[in-house]
Amino acid sequence: MSPEAEARTSLTNLIRKLRFEHGEMTQQALAERVGVTRQTIIALEAGKYAPSLLLAFRLARAFGVGIEGVFQYHDGEPEGRGEPGPHAGR
Amino acid sequence: MNASQRFAWFTLGVVGLTVILVLLLIPMLGRGAFGALGFLGLLGFTPLFFLQRGDEVVQDERDIQIRLSSLTIAYSVFWVLFVLGAMTAPAVYGWSGSVPVPLVLGAVWCGLIVVQGVMALAILIQYRRGGSDVA
């Protein structure tokens, strides 16, 4: 399975939701805050890119939550993109 | 379009134009047409696409990952073609024959064209599949 496909099926995130909860932060603003391009934020929100651990930590810190507050790993059937997984909030 | 995509389009353009130019000049100049391969030297300007401008993020981990995987794909394609070429040489020149020197030099240029061209294509395809330009 390609990294892209793997990211789509096993990793979901709440970046879009968290952006809006943080004063409707724009993708560009978040990108500048964590040191990536806006395209990478777009790919992350679309579930098409699995970030490095370092970037995951930066994103979590930007929102003031833990990594599992941003990313959810699923080892079973994929759920909706960007939707909270079974481990969300734990 | 980000720096990597601009880099890929530029590379593809230079490689494509060079190949077309060489093919057009061969009927007129013969072996001299291969002098047009010097246009590939324009690829030396590609680092300019990644120059830092102010606080702007020119490339990040995803861009580097895409470029590296594209380079791997490009060298894999080159290796397959190289092996195929080497395997067909005995059929063309015989087991006790010798490969002409211009062909060896040409193979080096072809290798550069294949690697650069395939890498550029792979970069563009991966960005398209990754939805980098969505929204």
Side-chain angles (χ1 to χ4, degrees):
Chain A
M1 186 184 288
S2 71
E4 188 188 299
E6 201 171 352
R8 251 200 304 271
T9 56
S10 60
L11 198 67
T12 58
N13 67 75
L14 300 170
I15 294 175
R16 187 183 294 266
K17 182 171 171 273
L18 287 164
R19 273 198 304 112
F20 282 94
E21 284 175 4
H22 283 74
E24 302 202 358
M25 187 191 293
T26 62
Q27 289 172 330
Q28 185 64 44
L30 177 60
E32 284 170 10
R33 203 153 164 182
V34 297
V36 297
T37 60
R38 183 174 149 266
Q39 285 96 330
T40 296
I41 299 296
I42 293 168
L44 281 166
E45 288 188 355
K48 289 179 176 175
Y49 176 61
S52 68
L53 194 55
L54 193 65
L55 178 55
F57 270 110
R58 282 201 206 119
L59 285 162
R61 189 154 291 183
F63 293 124
V65 295
I67 279 193
E68 285 195 84
V70 184
F71 296 97
Q72 297 79 45
Y73 174 71
H74 313 285
D75 48 7
E77 283 295 304
E79 296 179 23
R81 288 193 311 198
E83 295 300 317
H87 309 298
R90 283 193 188 175
Chain B
M1 192 183 289
N2 65 24
S4 289
Q5 287 168 303
R6 283 197 294 271
F7 158 80
W9 279 115
F10 179 81
T11 302
L12 210 54
V14 168
V15 167
L17 277 175
T18 305
V19 170
I20 290 169
L21 202 60
V22 169
L23 292 177
L24 285 176
L25 290 175
I26 282 177
M28 289 179 272
L29 302 175
R31 193 177 288 177
F34 290 99
L37 289 168
F39 271 101
L40 290 173
L42 288 171
L43 294 176
F45 289 107
T46 52
L48 295 175
F49 288 106
F50 300 101
L51 280 183
Q52 190 70 39
R53 290 177 288 270
D55 289 339
E56 183 195 357
V57 178
V58 180
Q59 60 179 339
D60 59 25
E61 60 175 43
R62 178 168 167 264
D63 301 315
I64 293 167
Q65 196 176 316
I66 285 176
R67 280 219 310 283
L68 284 178
S69 66
S70 301
L71 198 61
T72 307
I73 293 167
Y75 272 103
S76 302
V77 171
F78 165 74
W79 182 248
V80 168
L81 293 176
F82 178 78
V83 170
L84 281 176
M87 299 295 259
T88 51
V92 178
Y93 298 102
W95 284 103
S96 52
S98 54
V99 177
V101 171
L103 189 69
V104 177
L105 290 176
V108 172
W109 285 107
C110 283
L112 179 64
I113 287 170
V114 166
V115 167
Q116 294 293 326
V118 172
M119 181 183 66
L121 268 178
I123 287 174
L124 294 172
I125 290 169
Q126 285 188 81
Y127 274 111
R128 183 155 291 188
R129 286 176 59 190
S132 63
D133 280 335
V134 177

